[in-house]
Amino acid sequence: MHRRWLLSALALLMSIFLAACTSATTQQPQTKITNPTETRNTNSQQLSKGSVKRVVALSSLSADIISRLDQTKIVGVTGSKLFKNDSIFKDIPRVSEGQSPPNLENVVALKPDLVIGAEGFYNIPIQKIQQLGIPTFLTKVNNWESLEELTKTLAKSIDADPQPLLNRYKSFLPEKPTQGFSTLALVSRQPILAPNKNSWAGDLLAKFQAKNIAADLQGKSPIGGYVTLSAEKVLEANPEVIILVNPPQGNSEAALLDSLKKEAFWQQLQATKNNRVYVFDYYGLVNPGSIDAIEKACQQLKQALFVAQGT
């Protein structure tokens, strides 16, 4: 059990690390950075209005956004498990599987006029695609505003109306603010790793008025937007609500909880005593993943943070 948890934690850390990587070494001759000093939202690259007709998306979120804006414009996608049972993507060619690099021959064969990638992923393939004269666009979604900005940018590039999607996003959020619970989002057990305010998860917790105990903490973690906590720090904060993240490898919820029950500090927390421990999927809370995944995470946050208050 301990070995499985350690391996899962390492895999989760690697997933978060990849999502948080920068692409400082990736050149982008086909795009113009309008604000090179921007650090929280790199979706400020410019694309010509209405010029894009054929898109290959190497990130699941971008593929999802494009397909919902105009399904006819998406000609190739990453092989994400999020699309496994989605009829929209049933007949669209896969150019990569999991975290494997995209097959460049397959990408070129689709004759795209834009390839969208996530910042920090596949830097070398993206460079090769650019060298072939195919425009590329890198995305980074680490807060709600960057999700909205990305949607507007992609909609403009394919001459689509972003408003229906923006309205849908708005429906995910609580209608009125409420007094928040002190909350710990735990994305790894060994080490104890939690999101601060500079991550997608941290920003999402803030949108739901959760008092994230790690929001303003900074640490030496190599993963941007996340900090490591000691058991003593968790006990000191004594959160009212604990959110556990099931790693993308998909360990069972029971196994996740059972392993934590063995920790000496676990039973001393008020969240544990009051049965306010909730398990979330990795996609939606840590990695936005897809629009449906985001919606599901928001629904769970409403249940975890609002139901007990009768809102």
Side-chain angles (χ1 to χ4, degrees), residues 160-228:
D161 181 10
Q163 201 57 50
L165 264 187
L166 296 175
N167 291 340
R168 185 181 172 192
Y169 299 162
K170 187 177 180 179
S171 73
F172 299 167
L173 299 176
E175 295 180 1
K176 57 182 179 180
T178 185
Q179 183 177 359
F181 292 105
S182 62
T183 303
L184 169 65
L186 186 59
V187 303
S188 170
R189 172 193 164 207
Q190 294 177 339
I192 299 174
L193 194 69
N196 64 20
K197 63 185 179 182
N198 298 321
S199 65
W200 169 259
D203 187 70
L204 197 57
L205 289 173
K207 290 288 187 291
F208 282 80
Q209 307 299 316
K211 297 177 181 177
N212 178 11
I213 67 173
D216 296 314
L217 298 180
Q218 300 295 327
K220 297 180 180 179
S221 170
I223 305 168
Y226 290 82
V227 295
T228 55

Side-chain angles (χ1 to χ4, degrees), residues 253-267:
E253 181 175 324
L256 185 64
L257 291 170
D258 286 345
S259 65
L260 282 165
K261 289 177 182 178
K262 297 176 182 178
E263 298 288 350
F265 71 89
W266 187 251
Q267 298 300 335

Side-chain angles (χ1 to χ4, degrees), residues 28-36 42-47 136-137:
Q28 301 177 65
Q30 288 80 26
T31 59
K32 176 182 178 182
I33 304 299
T34 59
N35 184 4
T42 60
N43 301 321
S44 57
Q45 302 166 81
Q46 288 185 339
L47 295 172
T136 63
F137 182 83

Side-chain angles (χ1 to χ4, degrees), residues 9-235:
L10 289 173
L12 179 58
L13 286 170
M14 182 58 70
S15 297
I16 299 171
F17 177 74
L18 286 172
C21 286
T22 61
S23 58
T25 59
T26 303
Q27 303 300 312
Q28 301 177 65
Q30 288 80 26
T31 59
K32 176 182 178 182
I33 304 299
T34 59
N35 184 4
T37 63
E38 181 64 66
T39 58
R40 294 198 67 199
N41 179 10
T42 60
N43 301 321
S44 57
Q45 302 166 81
Q46 288 185 339
L47 295 172
S48 299
K49 181 178 180 179
S51 65
V52 177
K53 307 298 181 184
R54 297 178 62 84
V55 178
V56 170
L58 303 181
S59 81
S60 58
L61 181 59
S62 296
D64 200 18
I65 291 173
I66 290 287
S67 69
R68 293 173 188 272
L69 290 170
D70 186 344
Q71 188 178 351
T72 66
K73 300 296 174 64
I74 193 85
V75 297
V77 297
T78 181
S80 172
K81 72 173 187 178
L82 294 170
F83 301 150
K84 186 176 181 180
N85 299 315
D86 194 330
S87 59
I88 293 178
F89 297 98
K90 180 181 179 181
D91 298 320
I92 298 178
R94 268 57 170 172
V95 297
S96 66
E97 289 294 337
Q99 294 185 4
S100 299
N103 185 304
L104 296 183
E105 291 184 2
N106 290 346
V107 171
V108 173
L110 293 171
K111 299 180 180 180
D113 48 25
L114 178 65
V115 175
I116 304 174
E119 185 175 309
F121 281 83
Y122 314 134
N123 285 0
I124 294 178
I126 286 290
Q127 288 178 335
K128 291 181 178 179
I129 289 171
Q130 291 172 342
Q131 291 168 1
L132 294 172
I134 300 173
T136 63
F137 182 83
L138 296 180
T139 69
K140 183 177 182 180
V141 177
N142 60 354
N143 56 62
W144 196 267
E145 288 69 28
S146 61
L147 171 65
E148 295 177 327
E149 184 64 28
L150 174 61
T151 301
K152 293 175 185 177
T153 299
L154 295 182
K156 182 179 179 180
S157 72
I158 63 173
D159 196 22
D161 181 10
Q163 201 57 50
L165 264 187
L166 296 175
N167 291 340
R168 185 181 172 192
Y169 299 162
K170 187 177 180 179
S171 73
F172 299 167
L173 299 176
E175 295 180 1
K176 57 182 179 180
T178 185
Q179 183 177 359
F181 292 105
S182 62
T183 303
L184 169 65
L186 186 59
V187 303
S188 170
R189 172 193 164 207
Q190 294 177 339
I192 299 174
L193 194 69
N196 64 20
K197 63 185 179 182
N198 298 321
S199 65
W200 169 259
D203 187 70
L204 197 57
L205 289 173
K207 290 288 187 291
F208 282 80
Q209 307 299 316
K211 297 177 181 177
N212 178 11
I213 67 173
D216 296 314
L217 298 180
Q218 300 295 327
K220 297 180 180 179
S221 170
I223 305 168
Y226 290 82
V227 295
T228 55
L229 301 175
S230 64
E232 291 74 19
K233 182 66 177 179
V234 175
L235 274 171

